[in-house]
Amino acid sequence: MRDCFDKMSAEEARAFRDAVLSIVAQIPPGSVMTYGLIATLAGWPSHARMVGRTLRYTPGAELLPCHRVVNVQGRTAPGWKRQRILLEEEGITFKPNGHVDMSRHLWEAKPDEYQADN
C-alpha cells in the first residue's frame, strides 16, 4: 500500500501534521473525535489513516490527548488497552459491544470552532 503522504508536497505534509496535532490538542476531556473528522478538519478528508500514523510517529504527540481519538464506530486503537482506561477516567461511556458511545461523546468541531495554529 502506498503511503498517502506521497500524494502531498513536503509543505502540505507539514501543514497536515501541524493541523492534526493542533486539533487533537483541543479535544476536550470527556469527548472524542474520529480519525476521519480530524482529517477533514485538517483539509484532507480522505486521509483518516494518516491521522493515526501522524499521531503514532510524530515525536511529542504522546503528550497530546491522543486517547480521545477513535474510529468512526467508536472503537479504540487495537493493542492499546490503556486507551479505554484513560477514556473511562474522563467519564466516557462505552456500549455493551465495547465501543465508545459516540452519540454522547463525539466532539464534532467545525473548522471555525477550533483554533488553528497557522
Side-chain angles (χ1 to χ4, degrees):
M1 181 171 108
R2 293 182 57 162
D3 198 308
C4 292
F5 275 131
D6 65 2
K7 297 177 184 172
M8 297 178 181
S9 69
E11 184 177 316
E12 289 170 328
R14 279 190 296 275
F16 179 81
R17 178 201 62 213
D18 293 347
V20 166
L21 299 177
S22 175
I23 294 163
V24 171
Q26 296 174 66
I27 304 170
S31 298
V32 296
M33 284 188 87
T34 67
Y35 296 100
L37 188 52
I38 293 168
T40 298
L41 288 172
W44 291 79
S46 63
H47 287 63
R49 288 178 187 232
M50 291 313 303
V51 170
R53 289 186 184 133
T54 298
L55 295 175
R56 182 171 183 172
Y57 296 114
T58 300
E62 69 278 0
L63 302 174
L64 298 174
C66 297
H67 63 282
R68 297 181 189 146
V69 181
V70 296
N71 81 1
V72 71
Q73 290 90 24
R75 285 186 297 199
T76 57
W80 187 18
K81 293 179 182 180
R82 182 139 173 76
Q83 184 179 14
R84 181 176 175 134
I85 294 166
L86 292 169
L87 291 172
E88 287 176 333
E89 288 173 353
E90 294 184 359
I92 300 284
T93 56
F94 287 78
K95 297 182 194 180
N97 66 2
H99 298 183
V100 169
D101 185 343
M102 299 298 276
S103 66
R104 293 183 63 193
H105 303 290
L106 179 63
W107 186 53
E108 294 187 88
K110 306 287 187 276
D112 59 341
E113 292 178 334
Y114 79 95
Q115 298 295 315
D117 292 335
N118 298 343

